[in-house]
């Protein structure tokens, strides 16, 4: 590793956002590979100084701050933490011998050892979901990391030891590492969720969990060093409290994401593009592409690189449309999200995406129906068969997600808002939706494509057609779905 000596000390002391940008630019363009520990300590220190109120800090005279000025970050603060991290890691595992001619690859034992040294230096008990626990600054000053932070620390630790083959692998709700000569070895290095025994050291889900959303059908984001920088930048958390963000931290995150975007390091990282889209919606950067284009790019990246097995690109976009009262477009994005989840089996590890669909179905869509059915207008979504088709596709995807799963998805809490929503559309509007039934063969082919990881999704045509993989049914569209759900509800109530 270049070590602390390697970086230009000229960038210190850090007093504003642009000097942090300069350090990242230097690391991403000038050195052989960006130093993950250094960059994580720097952004962690900046985030901590602006979001973690220090109760007994002397009330600083608030001299008029430049919008991009930061509390001064001295080189000795960063250098001592950087050297501390190197010492912790090297105390546990011997670094790669420099002189060795041939490339040395990590082994499962080495990865497990690095994971163990991080794991065993975490403080005994703390609230794991708290904000600002993602960086090495948090680890080195407070012995606290969240589940992403542990995985990141392991990769940064392996970089310190000289294992350039160890990389971060990211699904939409979990992180692990890949390593070895072909980058095909996998290992759990952190925990997931609450109350689950950690599987550290084990290979990634071979069993039933392989079909769960948590492992995205074996289509995770496999990071390069620069994409690991994008992950630590995405993990920057500007929130001061539930209501406010620290302006300078959000600005720093936004500018770093644009730097990474311009260098091409977000191209295969849909969630990072989505994060940038969210920041641009809040505060658009002059001369940059608009946020709706970023949300489309995230979807295109997921379709292109991950065989459309990721849900979040569609819920980033759906959330944008919803906040901007573009309800028909929101229905379409959510139906597209549902077309992804239908390909999976629901497992107990998928709570996060379950909560996402629950909020859409039971909060966001009912809110839209309420505001749309209060005012009467000719172009109300209640008059559009297209909207009804999107909603049927949305609900049907959730039903299909449940089919074949060991854990049920739907319960009475889903049925009431669902029936309430569908019944807001008049029969004459519903009748305009053509139900095209896929045959059983289509389903078998889809299943086959899922197992072979090909993008066999037979997406419905996005017009008034609505495809249901059901037997021919002449009753008005939606009834079948309502019957299916009501019968489940009745049995649940018995
Ligand atoms: C449409 C949404 C509800 C808005 N924000 C969403 N995020 C916020 C950012 N986010 C992320 N943004 C960038 N990279 C990652 S890696 C990752 C993870 F794999 F789950 C990890 F590492 F376990 F935490 C999560 C995540 C998770 C998903 S999804």
């Amino acid at each position: 590793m270049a070590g602390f000596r390697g970086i230009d000390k000229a960038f210190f002391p850090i007093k504003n956002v642009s000097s942090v940008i300069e350090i990242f630019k230097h690391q991403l363009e000038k050195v052989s590979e960006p130093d993950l520990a250094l960059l994580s300590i720097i952004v962690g220190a900046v985030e901590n100084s602006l979001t973690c109120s220090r109760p007994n800090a002397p009330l600083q005279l608030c001299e008029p701050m430049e919008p991009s000025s930061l509390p001064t970050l001295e080189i000795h603060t960063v250098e001592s933490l950087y050297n501390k991290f190197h010492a912790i890691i090297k105390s546990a595992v011997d670094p790669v011998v420099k002189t060795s001619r041939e490339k040395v690859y990590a082994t499962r034992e080495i990865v497990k050892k690095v994971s163990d040294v991080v794991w065993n230096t975490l403080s005994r008990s703390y609230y794991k979901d708290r904000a600002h626990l993602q960086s090495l600054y948090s680890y080195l000053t407070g012995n606290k990391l969240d589940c992403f932070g542990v995985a990141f620390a392991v990769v940064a630790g392996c970089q310190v030891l000289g294992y350039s083959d160890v990389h971060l692998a990211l699904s939409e709700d979990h992180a692990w590492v890949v390593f070895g000569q072909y980058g095909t070895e996998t290992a759990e290095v952190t925990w997931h969720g609450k109350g689950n025994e950690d599987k550290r050291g084990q290979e990634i889900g071979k069993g039933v969990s392989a079909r769960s959303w948590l492992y995205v059908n074996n289509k995770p984001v496999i990071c390069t060093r620069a994409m690991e920088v994008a992950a630590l930048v995405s993990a920057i958390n500007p929130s001061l409290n539930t209501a406010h963000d620290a302006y300078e931290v959000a600005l720093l995150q936004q500018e770093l994401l644009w730097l990474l975007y311009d260098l091409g390091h977000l191209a295969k990282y849909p969630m990072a593009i989505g994060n940038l889209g969210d920041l641009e919606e809040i505060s658009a950067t002059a001369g940059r592409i608009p946020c709706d284009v970023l949300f489309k790019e995230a979807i295109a990246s997921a379709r292109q690189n991950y065989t459309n097995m990721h849900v979040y690109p569609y819920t980033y976009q759906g959330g944008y449309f919803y906040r901007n009262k573009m309800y028909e477009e929101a229905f379409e994005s959510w139906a597209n999200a549902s077309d992804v989840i239908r390909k999976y089996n629901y497992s107990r590890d998928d709570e996060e995406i379950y909560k996402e669909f629950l909020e859409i179905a039971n909060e966001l869509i009912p809110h839209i129906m309420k505001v749309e059915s209060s005012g009467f207008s000719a172009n109300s979504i209640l008059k559009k068969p297209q909207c009804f088709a999107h909603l049927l596709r949305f609900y049907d995807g959730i039903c299909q997600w449940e089919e074949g799963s060991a854990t049920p998805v739907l319960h009475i809490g889903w049925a009431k808002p669902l029936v309430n929503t569908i019944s807001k559309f008049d029969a004459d509007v519903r009748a305009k939706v053509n139900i095209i039934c896929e045959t059983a063969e289509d389903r078998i082919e889809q299943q086959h494509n899922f197992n072979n990881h090909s993008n066999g999704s037979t997406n419905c045509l996005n017009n008034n057609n609505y495809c249901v993989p059901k037997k021919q049914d002449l009753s008005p569209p939606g009834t079948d779905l309502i019957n299916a759900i009501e019968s489940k509800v009745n049995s649940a109530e018995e």
Side-chain angles (χ1 to χ4, degrees):
M1 270 317 298
F4 204 77
R5 298 161 305 290
I7 76 151
D8 295 349
K9 306 204 171 177
F11 294 114
F12 287 86
I14 291 171
K15 292 181 186 284
N16 52 45
V17 166
S18 46
S19 44
V20 179
I21 304 293
E22 285 314 302
I23 291 177
F24 272 76
K25 203 178 274 188
H26 176 259
Q27 284 290 315
L28 287 163
E29 293 179 319
K30 297 281 186 298
V31 303
S32 58
E33 58 172 51
D35 188 328
L36 299 179
L38 174 73
L39 299 179
S40 181
I41 289 167
I42 290 173
V43 291
V46 169
E47 176 176 325
N48 179 280
S49 66
L50 285 164
T51 59
C52 305
S53 53
R54 292 158 297 153
N56 50 10
L59 189 64
Q60 288 172 347
L61 289 178
C62 294
E63 69 278 358
M65 302 261 270
E66 278 295 308
S68 65
S69 74
L70 298 169
T72 303
L73 183 56
E74 299 292 348
I75 188 161
H76 67 81
T77 309
V78 174
E79 189 163 20
S80 61
L81 292 175
Y82 182 86
N83 294 336
K84 180 178 176 182
F85 184 65
H86 274 244
I88 292 169
I89 298 296
K90 287 171 181 168
S91 70
V93 186
D94 297 336
V96 165
V97 176
K98 284 260 180 302
T99 53
S100 59
R101 189 79 48 235
E102 77 287 350
K103 193 154 164 31
V104 177
Y105 299 105
T107 63
R108 185 169 301 278
E109 293 64 39
I110 284 167
V111 169
K112 180 60 165 55
K113 248 183 179 185
V114 176
S115 175
D116 284 345
V117 72
V118 173
W119 191 266
N120 296 324
T121 41
L122 296 177
S123 54
R124 277 288 142 259
S125 73
Y126 57 95
Y127 177 49
K128 306 288 186 297
D129 289 347
R130 222 183 69 196
H132 317 302
L133 300 185
Q134 77 287 53
S135 76
L136 289 188
Y137 181 87
S138 169
Y139 171 62
L140 294 162
T141 59
N143 297 90
K144 293 185 194 64
L145 283 171
D146 59 23
C147 64
F148 164 82
V150 169
F152 180 85
V154 171
V155 175
C158 291
Q159 183 185 37
V160 162
L161 296 171
Y163 292 107
S164 57
D165 58 310
V166 180
H167 285 290
L168 193 59
L170 303 170
S171 74
E172 297 193 298
D173 188 40
H174 190 33
W176 59 92
V177 302
V178 296
F179 61 97
Q181 184 167 9
Y182 308 105
T184 49
E185 296 301 315
T186 64
E188 299 274 6
V189 291
T190 184
W191 77 87
H192 176 262
K194 285 189 169 34
N196 306 325
E197 196 56 32
D198 73 86
K199 304 178 195 165
R200 286 183 316 111
Q202 297 175 28
E203 270 189 301
I204 291 315
K206 290 266 181 236
V208 69
S209 62
R211 295 191 55 77
S212 68
W213 164 77
L214 185 70
Y215 290 97
V216 285
N217 187 25
N218 204 19
K219 294 286 177 184
V221 174
I222 304 293
C223 291
T224 61
R225 281 282 177 261
M227 288 168 76
E228 280 140 14
V229 175
L232 80 87
V233 170
S234 279
I236 290 172
N237 186 339
S239 49
L240 257 176
N241 51 51
T242 47
H244 298 95
D245 281 358
Y247 171 79
E248 301 84 351
V249 180
L251 181 71
L252 173 64
Q253 183 178 38
Q254 197 164 350
E255 296 203 3
L256 286 173
L257 285 172
W258 277 123
L259 169 65
L260 288 154
Y261 178 93
D262 293 338
L263 294 172
H265 300 312
L266 302 194
K268 296 184 176 177
Y269 196 165
M271 288 186 290
I273 302 172
N275 288 333
L276 182 53
D278 278 352
L279 291 163
E280 284 293 308
E281 181 190 350
I282 294 166
S283 164
T285 306
R288 286 291 186 177
I289 53 173
C291 62
D292 64 302
V293 172
L294 287 168
F295 294 125
K296 286 194 181 103
E297 286 186 5
I299 288 166
S301 170
R303 296 180 70 87
Q304 168 79 30
N305 299 299
Y306 305 107
T307 67
N308 200 33
M309 293 305 290
H310 293 191
V311 175
Y312 282 152
Y314 296 107
T315 52
Y316 270 112
Q317 186 188 54
Y320 164 75
F321 285 139
Y322 173 76
R323 292 187 291 270
N324 290 275
K325 303 187 183 346
M326 300 163 76
Y327 296 139
E328 181 172 349
E329 293 83 351
F331 287 163
E332 183 171 12
S333 301
W334 292 333
N336 290 337
S338 189
D339 273 351
V340 173
I341 203 67
R342 72 168 70 234
K343 297 182 255 184
Y344 288 103
N345 284 344
Y346 181 57
S347 102
R348 53 199 276 302
D349 296 321
D350 295 343
E351 282 92 356
E352 279 311 305
I353 205 65
Y354 173 85
K355 289 188 287 190
E356 193 67 24
F357 279 105
L358 195 68
E359 185 193 17
I360 294 166
N362 296 353
E363 312 286 334
L364 306 186
I365 290 173
H367 169 76
I368 293 171
M369 303 318 280
K370 191 157 61 69
V371 297
E372 282 293 304
S373 50
S374 52
F376 181 80
S377 68
N379 68 346
S380 154
I381 54 164
L382 303 180
K383 296 274 170 243
K384 295 185 177 179
Q386 168 72 285
C387 289
F388 187 61
H390 292 322
L391 286 171
L392 286 183
R393 186 155 62 95
F394 170 74
Y395 291 126
D396 188 64
I398 296 171
C399 292
Q400 197 175 337
W401 181 27
E402 180 175 53
E403 282 172 31
S405 301
T407 326
V409 175
L410 299 166
H411 55 66
I412 188 160
W414 289 80
K416 286 187 177 131
L418 188 163
V419 172
N420 190 285
T421 298
I422 286 183
S423 56
K424 284 271 190 335
F425 291 85
D426 294 341
D428 63 306
V429 178
R430 301 204 317 262
K432 287 186 190 122
V433 173
N434 316 317
I435 302 279
I436 297 172
C437 296
E438 289 171 340
T439 61
E441 288 72 23
D442 292 327
R443 284 288 297 259
I444 289 163
E445 189 210 339
Q446 263 184 33
Q447 203 68 41
H448 172 76
N449 292 328
F450 179 93
N451 299 336
N452 296 4
H453 307 314
S454 73
N455 181 10
S457 68
T458 53
N459 250 340
C460 305
L461 308 169
N462 271 339
N463 48 36
N464 286 359
N465 294 335
Y466 163 65
C467 320
V468 278
K470 298 209 180 339
K471 59 192 179 309
Q472 188 59 33
D473 182 342
L474 302 180
S475 49
T479 315
D480 187 29
L481 210 50
I482 294 175
N483 290 342
I485 288 177
E486 278 178 347
S487 65
K488 167 182 277 298
V489 166
N490 297 336
S491 55
E493 283 178 332
E494 274 151 23

